[in-house]
Amino acid sequence: MSWDQRAGLSKLQHLTQSDWLQREAAHQQRVRAYADPYLARRSTGRKHPVEDFLFTYYTQKPGQLLRWHPGAGVVLSGPAATARAGWKYYRVPDAAELAAAGLAPGTDAVTVDVERFLSERRDAVQFAGVILAGTRSRPAQFGCFGLHEWAMVYRQDKFELRHEYLKLRLGSERTDRVVEENRIRCSHFDAFRFYTPDAAPLNSLRPSRENQRTMEQPGCLHANMDLYKWAYKLSPVLPGELVMDCFELSWRIRAMDMRASPYELSEWGYPPIRIETPDGKAEYVEQQRAFAAAAQDLRQRLLRELSPLLAAAGADTPQEGRHD
């Protein structure tokens, strides 16, 4: 079933030039609050251990994030819209689509080319649907205490690992003892794969790329940060506001993740969450639960936006509802 057959012309939304330019400007203002300081640091060769992460670990660059998209099923009208006709996955609407959007033939307008996006990105849409729906459906686990970051520097002297501008808050020996004295149970492959060789066997789970779709769970900070990854990978068929909501949640999670890490970041403005203590563990879990709830809401919004796309891509449509 094609996108047009699934969605129907009656569901096309029209945004006038004044409306969509206002949304575009608001989006760009949100992005620049994060991107401009990063770009200023980069131009002078400076680094920030917390606030650079979303622009260096993830593949979406600031210039790409600045581009606001209305999402699938929206027609943008006005002379300014024609500049987007050359953007990837955009096209000029046909006469039937213009009419369905309440526009006269020949009106300057563009819309996201969902058919082309699905033809070229079908696997990405389907995989995102599997990960998002599967993670949403599983019970959240809150017993990791952020030890994945500690496992990444376990016995770092042995492996000659160094973060050149960061120091360990407890020093190497005490950091190693924290790893050894706690149960490590990381379910996220993209955290686990950075463990030191001596730390990997200490993890009670064996996450891999192959079992990712069955192992990710909604209490995991990294799975919740990755909502941003799934959102930007599905641009421009998702609205820019949703992508930025995912970005900002990921930004807040990164800050908490690094506060609970073994690094001394107080001078950067990030006081530690001392997960080596009972009080620190309790503080970590409290914040982890709040992030898990916020992430489940975003996960549900992403799946709602993806539902017609998944149907058009030939995938099962995830059922509505929370399962945490």
Side-chain angles (χ1 to χ4, degrees), residues 24 27-28 62-69 84 87-88 240:
E24 180 183 61
H27 171 83
Q28 292 176 345
Q64 296 169 309
L65 187 58
L66 273 169
R67 282 192 167 187
W68 171 81
H69 302 289
R84 294 179 175 236
W87 290 15
K88 190 173 184 179

Side-chain angles (χ1 to χ4, degrees), residues 7-305:
L9 292 175
S10 63
K11 293 191 176 181
L12 282 179
Q13 179 187 359
H14 168 226
L15 292 177
T16 65
Q17 179 165 295
S18 60
D19 287 340
W20 70 259
L21 284 178
Q22 184 176 15
R23 286 178 60 178
E24 180 183 61
H27 171 83
Q28 292 176 345
Q29 184 176 16
R30 285 178 79 181
V31 174
R32 288 194 173 103
Y34 302 95
D36 285 357
Y38 163 70
L39 293 172
R41 286 191 297 272
R42 191 179 69 174
S43 68
T44 59
R46 291 177 294 134
K47 297 180 181 180
H48 195 293
V50 181
E51 297 172 11
D52 290 353
F53 182 77
L54 267 64
F55 296 113
T56 55
Y57 175 76
Y58 293 111
T59 59
Q60 177 90 323
K61 302 306 179 187
Q64 296 169 309
L65 187 58
L66 273 169
R67 282 192 167 187
W68 171 81
H69 302 289
V74 181
V75 174
L76 306 180
S77 67
T82 59
R84 294 179 175 236
W87 290 15
K88 190 173 184 179
Y89 299 125
Y90 276 81
R91 62 174 174 80
V92 175
D94 61 29
E97 290 167 324
L98 288 173
L103 298 171
T107 299
D108 290 333
V110 293
T111 190
V112 174
D113 191 344
V114 180
E115 290 286 346
R116 181 185 168 197
F117 184 88
L118 287 177
S119 71
E120 297 181 6
R121 303 281 292 153
R122 186 179 307 272
D123 289 347
V125 172
Q126 292 178 332
F127 186 69
V130 167
I131 293 291
L132 292 169
T135 305
R136 181 192 63 182
S137 69
R138 296 184 190 102
Q141 305 295 321
F142 299 109
C144 69
F145 306 121
L147 284 162
H148 55 272
E149 291 288 342
W150 298 67
M152 294 177 193
V153 296
Y154 180 60
R155 296 181 178 174
Q156 70 168 12
D157 293 336
K158 173 181 177 181
F159 298 104
E160 298 182 351
L161 299 174
R162 283 291 182 272
H163 293 265
E164 66 274 14
Y165 62 106
L166 297 178
K167 62 181 180 180
L168 297 177
R169 178 167 56 82
L170 301 179
S172 293
E173 288 188 13
R174 290 179 62 197
T175 297
D176 291 348
R177 285 206 302 273
V178 170
V179 175
E180 293 162 355
E181 293 170 358
N182 287 272
R183 183 188 184 200
I184 307 180
R185 187 179 172 81
C186 180
S187 59
H188 196 268
F189 173 68
D190 284 316
F192 176 71
R193 67 190 177 97
F194 290 108
Y195 280 25
T196 65
D198 283 1
L202 302 179
N203 202 64
S204 61
L205 301 175
R206 287 293 174 268
S208 66
R209 190 65 72 205
E210 291 70 28
N211 64 22
Q212 179 182 8
R213 64 183 63 204
T214 60
M215 186 165 285
E216 291 200 2
Q217 49 85 18
C220 173
L221 292 187
H222 279 258
N224 294 333
M225 288 179 66
D226 278 351
L227 291 177
Y228 169 58
K229 176 178 70 174
W230 303 120
Y232 77 72
K233 283 181 177 293
L234 298 175
S235 291
V237 298
L238 295 180
E241 290 85 354
L242 178 53
V243 175
M244 274 307 294
D245 287 346
C246 293
F247 176 95
E248 289 180 340
L249 177 66
S250 186
W251 182 278
R252 296 194 299 274
I253 292 174
R254 171 64 176 176
M256 182 263 203
D257 193 32
M258 292 304 288
R259 287 183 60 208
S261 77
Y263 302 114
E264 178 55 74
L265 298 173
S266 295
E267 64 185 34
W268 298 86
Y270 293 89
I273 299 174
R274 302 180 187 278
I275 60 95
E276 70 275 14
T277 69
D279 287 346
K281 284 182 169 67
E283 181 181 359
Y284 184 92
V285 171
E286 180 181 8
Q287 294 196 37
Q288 187 181 25
R289 287 183 179 276
F291 283 132
Q296 284 289 64
D297 288 340
L298 280 177
R299 201 169 274 116
Q300 187 64 48
R301 287 174 58 193
L302 286 165
L303 286 166
R304 191 177 299 117
E305 291 283 344

